[in-house]
Amino acid sequence: MKKCRICKSPIEPFISFGQMPIANGFLTREQFADEYFFELQAAFCANCTMVQLIDQPEPQKMFHENYAFFSSTSKRMAVHFEEFANHVKKDYLTSSNPFVVELGCNDGIMLQHFANSGIKHLGIEPSVNVARVANEKGVQTISEFFNESTAKDILGKYGQTDAFLAANVMCHIADFNSVIAGIKMLVNPDGIVMFEDPYLGDVIEKTSYDQLYDEHVFLFSLSSIKYAFEQYDMELVDIEPQGTHGGSMRYIIAHKGARLVSKNVYTQLEKEKEMKLNKVETYNVFRKNCEKSRDSLKQLLVDINKRGKRVVGYAATSKSTTILNYCGIGPDLIEFISDTTPIKQGKFSPGMHIPVRAYEEFMAKYPDYAVLLAWNHGEEIMDKEKQFKAAGGKWIIFVPEVKVV
Ligand code: TYD
C-alpha cells in the first residue's frame, strides 16, 4: 500500500492513465527505442486531502540540461509575471533592503523585474539550460534542486528572505515536506511565501485531466496546502485566484501568528467543502468524466480523419502528453504539432511520436482543423489566429468539453 507524500496515511489510486512517457521528453527518432515510461496514476488522501501521483519519475529524468519548457513563450504569461512581481514589490517588500527568492525561476520571466529594480534576489532553477538564460538576463540564478539541505546552504550564504516566491513549481516537487521545512528556515519572521499552481477545483470542474502528468505530482487545494504548512507551524493567510493555466490559485503563507488570516481563506475553504473536494466520491466521478472526454475526443478525430480532412495540433505542451497517450492519438490522426519553441521543433512528441514542427508550417498551409493543445492560452491564441478561422479553419477543443468551434 502506498503512503500519502504529505501525511503518510495509506492511499489508493482513483485513476490510471496507463503507461506515460516524460511529458517534456521530446525526442529524436534514434531515441524511440530507449524511451522511458511509467504508470501515471493519481490518488486522493482522505486524511489530508492532497491529490497526488502514486509514482513520479526521478527529478533528474525531468529537469536537466535539455529541459524543453521556456516560460517566456507566452506574451500573456510575461505580463502576468510582471504584475505578480509588482504586487510583491508594492505590498510585501517593506524592509529597506529586501531579499527575494524564487524557486524554479525558469528563464527569469518574473525575477528579472526584481533584478531590474536593483532588488537583492536569488533564483533556484535545477534545469541548467533555462537557468543559463536567466543568468544571461542578469538574474542571479543557481542550478539546484531545492530542499531542506539546499535551504541551509542558501541561508548560510545569503541570509533569510523577505519573500519566497514560486509559480507552477511547488506542485512539481515530490518531497514537498522537505521544501516546506526549507522554507520555514529561510523565510524571515515577517516574511511571506507566495506561490501559485493549477487549482484542483478547476481541474475537477473542467475535467482538465491533462494537468496530471509526471511533473505535476500534486494538485493543490486550500485544504491540502493548509494541512501541509501547518505541519511546520506555518499558516495560509490569504489566497488570490488566477485565470492562468486554466484556473490557478495563488497561496500566501506566513509563520503562524505573524499575520491575520483573510476571510477569503475561510470562504474558499467552505466552497471546497460544497464542491466535495474532501470526498473520495468526487474523484470517482472525475474518473468517469475523464473516460467520457477521452472517448469523445478520439471518436471525433477518427471521424474527421475518415472524411479525409487535415488535422494538426497547436502547441506541443507538456499537458498534451497525457491527452495524446491516454486517448491513443498518434500521427495517423494528427499530422504534426506546431510549436514556437526551437528545442522542440524537428523532434517527436513523447510516447505517441507525432512530429513537432515550427509554427511557420502551420501558417504556411492552414489545416482544416487544429487541436488546441494549449487550451489554457486559448484567448491569446484565438486572438492571434483570427486568420486561420477566417480562412475556414476550425478549432478542436476538449476542455471543459470536447467540441469543434
Ligand atoms: P503551456 O500551456 O505553458 O505548456 P505546458 O503544458 O508545458 O505547461 O504552453 C507552452 C507551450 O505552448 C510551449 O511549447 C510553446 C507553445 N505555444 C505555442 O506554440 N504558441 C503559442 O501561441 C503559445 C501561447 C504557446
Side-chain angles (χ1 to χ4, degrees):
M1 173 84 65
K2 289 280 183 173
K3 290 202 171 139
C4 171
R5 295 171 188 274
I6 303 300
C7 72
K8 313 295 173 215
S9 303
I11 50 167
E12 275 181 60
F14 61 83
I15 192 166
S16 170
F17 295 98
Q19 291 296 308
M20 282 286 156
I22 300 293
N24 260 312
F26 296 88
L27 68 180
T28 59
R29 204 181 286 281
E30 296 68 47
Q31 293 169 321
F32 287 177
D34 294 328
E35 195 169 9
Y36 174 86
F37 286 88
F38 72 106
E39 188 177 359
L40 183 71
Q41 291 174 284
F44 161 72
C45 175
N47 180 51
C48 74
T49 74
M50 188 64 87
V51 171
Q52 56 200 284
L53 297 189
I54 294 280
D55 293 308
Q56 188 193 35
E58 302 146 35
Q60 290 79 358
K61 282 201 163 66
M62 299 181 286
F63 310 109
H64 42 60
E65 68 285 358
N66 287 312
Y67 188 52
F69 183 83
F70 285 77
S71 294
S72 296
T73 49
S74 157
K75 289 208 173 85
R76 293 234 178 147
M77 289 309 286
V79 173
H80 171 79
F81 287 122
E82 183 172 4
E83 285 169 0
F84 190 166
N86 288 341
H87 176 35
V88 174
K89 283 191 219 169
K90 183 167 152 279
D91 301 315
Y92 291 100
L93 295 187
T94 45
S95 72
S96 57
N97 183 22
F99 175 41
V100 177
V101 171
E102 187 188 353
L103 180 54
C105 67
N106 199 274
D107 55 17
I109 189 167
M110 174 153 73
L111 215 45
Q112 63 187 350
H113 299 291
F114 296 95
N116 294 344
S117 314
I119 294 172
K120 186 179 162 197
H121 64 276
L122 181 70
I124 307 161
E125 172 51 65
S127 300
V128 177
N129 60 334
V130 285
R132 191 179 310 122
V133 175
N135 275 309
E136 282 163 9
K137 281 185 191 162
V139 174
Q140 192 188 353
T141 307
I142 54 168
S143 250
E144 302 266 9
F145 285 100
F146 184 78
N147 52 33
E148 199 174 351
S149 132
T150 28
K152 259 187 214 142
D153 295 344
I154 294 170
L155 187 64
K157 275 193 201 140
Y158 303 89
Q160 281 193 312
T161 176
D162 299 81
F164 186 99
L165 313 176
N168 306 308
V169 170
M170 291 291 212
C171 74
H172 290 127
I173 309 176
D175 195 358
F176 194 44
N177 283 341
S178 175
V179 169
I180 304 173
I183 287 176
K184 171 86 187 160
M185 208 187 304
L186 205 53
V187 173
N188 75 33
D190 303 323
I192 49 126
V193 186
M194 265 173 111
F195 65 93
E196 60 189 40
D197 284 287
Y199 180 52
L200 175 67
D202 287 286
V203 172
I204 297 296
E205 213 169 70
K206 298 173 189 159
T207 318
S208 45
Y209 65 86
D210 54 350
Q211 289 294 4
L212 287 162
Y213 56 91
D214 56 2
E215 294 179 16
H216 288 185
V217 65
F218 297 113
L219 281 178
F220 295 145
S221 61
L222 270 67
S223 69
S224 61
I225 285 299
K226 189 170 176 298
Y227 185 103
F229 278 86
E230 278 177 2
Q231 299 177 111
Y232 294 84
D233 252 358
M234 296 194 84
E235 204 167 29
L236 176 62
V237 293
D238 210 351
I239 48 153
E240 294 170 356
Q242 305 293 319
T244 48
H245 288 300
S248 297
M249 190 61 79
R250 184 179 292 161
Y251 304 91
I252 303 166
I253 288 158
H255 291 287
K256 198 167 173 57
R259 286 171 196 255
L260 285 179
V261 178
S262 151
K263 79 172 193 321
N264 300 336
V265 172
Y266 300 110
T267 313
Q268 191 64 28
L269 281 168
E270 266 317 299
K271 273 196 200 150
E272 290 189 350
K273 276 199 189 132
E274 282 162 27
M275 287 184 73
K276 299 196 169 74
L277 294 186
N278 57 345
K279 301 272 188 239
V280 71
E281 303 90 82
T282 305
Y283 303 94
N284 290 328
V285 172
F286 175 70
R287 182 188 59 248
K288 288 186 189 127
N289 291 341
C290 293
E291 288 161 0
K292 270 190 226 151
S293 171
R294 173 194 62 192
D295 296 346
S296 55
L297 180 60
K298 177 82 186 252
Q299 194 55 52
L300 176 66
L301 289 172
V302 167
D303 291 346
I304 291 174
N305 186 263
K306 276 193 194 135
R307 289 195 279 119
K309 301 288 182 192
R310 280 186 69 220
V311 182
V312 307
Y314 194 100
T317 57
S318 343
K319 289 183 292 295
S320 65
T321 297
T322 298
I323 298 287
L324 300 170
N325 286 273
Y326 178 57
C327 301
I329 299 167
D332 51 329
L333 296 176
I334 292 187
E335 193 181 308
F336 67 89
I337 305 174
S338 132
D339 197 280
T340 54
T341 318
I343 195 174
K344 297 182 185 177
Q345 296 163 358
K347 295 200 175 134
F348 294 85
S349 74
M352 296 312 293
H353 304 162
I354 301 172
V356 180
R357 306 233 176 98
Y359 171 60
E360 289 66 29
E361 293 206 29
F362 169 79
M363 296 283 286
K365 194 169 167 229
Y366 283 144
D368 300 301
Y369 293 85
V371 186
L372 185 61
L373 297 170
W375 57 269
N376 49 310
H377 300 295
E379 256 182 50
E380 175 175 354
I381 292 171
M382 300 283 179
D383 253 15
K384 199 162 71 177
E385 304 299 351
K386 289 201 178 100
Q387 263 193 330
F388 167 60
K389 275 291 274 185
K394 292 196 172 71
W395 291 104
I396 295 174
I397 57 171
F398 47 83
V399 173
E401 59 198 349
V402 176
K403 61 179 177 188
V404 176
V405 292

